[in-house]
Amino acid sequence: MTEMKIDIHNHILPMKLPNLKERYGYGGFISLEHHEKGKARMMLDGRLFRVIDENCWSPEVRIREMDRTGVKMQVLSTVPVMFCYWAKPKDTLDLCQILNNDIAETVQKYPDRFVGFGTLPMQSPELAVEEMKRVKQEHGFAGVQIGSHVNDWNLDAPELNPVFAAAEELDCAIFVHPWDMEQEKRMSKYWLPWLVGMPAETTVAVVSVLFGGVLERFPRLKICFAHGCGVFPYTVGRIEHGFNVRPDLCAVDNNNGPRSYVGKIWSDSLVHDREALRLLVNVLGEDRVMLGSDYPFPLGEHHPGKLIENMPDYTQQQKAKLLWENCRNFLGLKNP
């Protein structure tokens, strides 16, 4: 049955945020200005970051739109600009708790329609582990969303080992989302940070995890990369070749090549192109790709799952895997 859909990649915010600049005593945080019915401005230090609609905070509006597109369940995560890894760790922890508690309320209100992904103060691995345990044990979240890097740390940084160890121990899935792309100078035009920077960021995260031996240290870690694994599926041949011809540069932390991890990492399906989806599935495996729409933002798939449903050469069984079965297995959900 392909009419079932579980969407792993969705973003949500509280309807209202406290004044974070007043709360923490310094700027750099997002604020919300509800300037007209059903719309709000996300403001960053007085500058417009993005205008959002009420589907970004109202679960009722969200459910109506899910029903129109046949989405049974969404996995909810915050908007990456809210990660705030640059802030003081205890302030980021406080903000994470505000965001995570809001997601928990939505999940508790509509448990048949939503699953929670928490956000963590990753710049302090000790606090991140504490919050991971809290959202997993108190709120029953299936996993957490983390950024593609943490300030100057790529995801292979040894400082992050305690976070991955806790995720493995708690059976807490990890969803890696690109963030903090270069936006100045050469990247200031044409929406390049989102169109080019995000896929590049994701690919750096994938290669850092594989070359860095993260899955050697934590072989039971369940980790998914957003936006079709960036450009990794297209460049895996180049990456593997580089690993083989320059082991002095690439194999410094792990002697196993990147292709040895095929079948051990997951991706969402957000690639907007049939041939790209076909390549992604061929590289990672049909059991490792999950429907992800990036709802409710413009770069997302506006009718979640339509690309998968319209793949002419995929069987109903293959479509079912991509539309819901793989996500259910990744998150350890009971039958939805």
Side-chain angles (χ1 to χ4, degrees):
M1 53 181 296
T2 63
E3 63 268 19
M4 176 78 76
K5 298 179 190 178
I6 305 176
D7 188 346
I8 196 167
H9 186 170
N10 308 270
H11 300 294
I12 193 168
L13 285 172
M15 182 176 181
K16 296 181 179 179
L17 287 171
N19 187 320
L20 299 175
K21 184 175 182 178
E22 290 184 359
R23 189 179 184 96
Y24 304 135
Y26 53 99
F29 300 96
I30 288 288
S31 61
L32 291 180
E33 295 180 357
H34 289 266
H35 60 290
E36 62 179 85
K37 182 176 175 58
K39 290 185 178 293
R41 299 187 185 100
M42 295 178 69
M43 304 296 294
L44 183 59
D45 288 339
R47 295 178 289 106
L48 178 65
F49 177 77
R50 177 182 292 161
V51 176
I52 56 175
D53 297 318
E54 60 184 339
N55 58 5
C56 200
W57 65 78
S58 168
E60 291 76 22
V61 171
R62 187 173 286 248
I63 287 171
R64 289 200 298 269
E65 295 185 356
M66 291 165 63
D67 288 344
R68 285 200 293 268
T69 57
V71 175
K72 168 65 176 177
M73 183 173 285
Q74 283 186 348
V75 183
L76 302 178
S77 54
T78 194
V79 181
V81 72
M82 306 301 291
F83 287 157
C84 297
Y85 299 153
W86 51 267
K88 297 177 182 178
K90 290 187 177 180
D91 295 338
T92 304
L93 173 62
D94 179 68
L95 177 57
C96 288
Q97 292 174 343
I98 292 171
L99 299 169
N100 292 339
N101 291 346
D102 180 75
I103 290 175
E105 289 178 11
T106 299
V107 172
Q108 185 176 22
K109 190 174 182 180
Y110 300 104
D112 295 332
R113 305 308 300 270
F114 300 117
V115 177
F117 268 176
T119 186
L120 307 175
M122 292 290 288
Q123 71 271 46
S124 172
E126 181 180 356
L127 295 180
V129 169
E130 289 180 13
E131 182 62 5
M132 181 190 294
K133 290 179 178 178
R134 188 184 77 89
V135 299
K136 184 73 175 176
Q137 296 169 355
E138 294 184 14
H139 295 319
F141 282 11
V144 295
Q145 176 187 233
I146 69 172
S148 49
H149 67 277
V150 181
N151 301 327
D152 290 334
W153 299 338
N154 280 326
L155 296 187
D156 62 325
E159 290 87 350
L160 297 176
N161 284 345
V163 178
F164 295 134
E168 190 178 57
E169 179 183 351
L170 295 168
D171 192 26
C172 182
I174 291 179
F175 184 70
V176 179
H177 196 291
W179 86 298
D180 193 31
M181 302 79 65
E182 175 62 48
Q183 299 188 41
E184 305 298 329
K185 298 180 180 178
R186 294 173 56 240
M187 298 295 286
S188 63
K189 293 179 68 176
Y190 311 128
W191 214 15
L192 288 177
W194 272 258
L195 300 183
V196 178
M198 278 193 164
E201 265 295 316
T202 304
T203 308
V204 170
V206 174
V207 174
S208 295
V209 167
L210 303 188
F211 279 11
V214 174
L215 295 178
E216 294 297 316
R217 296 190 292 278
F218 310 105
R220 293 180 291 107
L221 188 68
K222 296 188 297 185
I223 188 165
C224 173
F225 297 89
H227 307 145
C229 264
V231 297
F232 177 76
Y234 184 74
T235 57
V236 64
R238 178 183 180 86
I239 293 166
E240 176 85 6
H241 181 68
F243 180 88
N244 291 332
V245 300
R246 290 303 304 266
D248 56 313
L249 299 177
C250 301
V252 293
D253 293 319
N254 182 11
N255 291 324
N256 298 307
R259 286 192 187 273
S260 66
Y261 297 99
V262 168
K264 297 181 181 180
I265 61 173
W266 281 258
S267 173
D268 72 12
S269 63
L270 188 59
V271 293
H272 303 288
D273 181 88
R274 284 184 180 180
E275 293 306 316
L277 179 61
R278 190 172 286 113
L279 176 65
L280 174 63
V281 172
N282 287 343
V283 171
L284 295 192
E286 65 181 33
D287 295 326
R288 291 296 181 264
V289 179
M290 302 172 277
L291 168 63
S293 73
D294 209 354
Y295 175 100
F297 295 136
L299 263 179
E301 185 180 25
H302 296 172
H303 189 113
K306 191 173 183 178
L307 177 62
I308 296 169
E309 292 170 317
N310 289 340
M311 291 295 285
D313 53 333
Y314 281 13
T315 66
Q316 292 299 101
Q317 182 180 9
Q318 287 174 311
K319 291 177 181 179
K321 285 184 176 182
L322 271 60
L323 289 170
W324 69 278
E325 290 180 5
N326 292 343
C327 188
R328 179 196 62 184
N329 295 337
F330 178 69
L331 299 179
L333 302 176
K334 297 178 181 178
N335 288 339

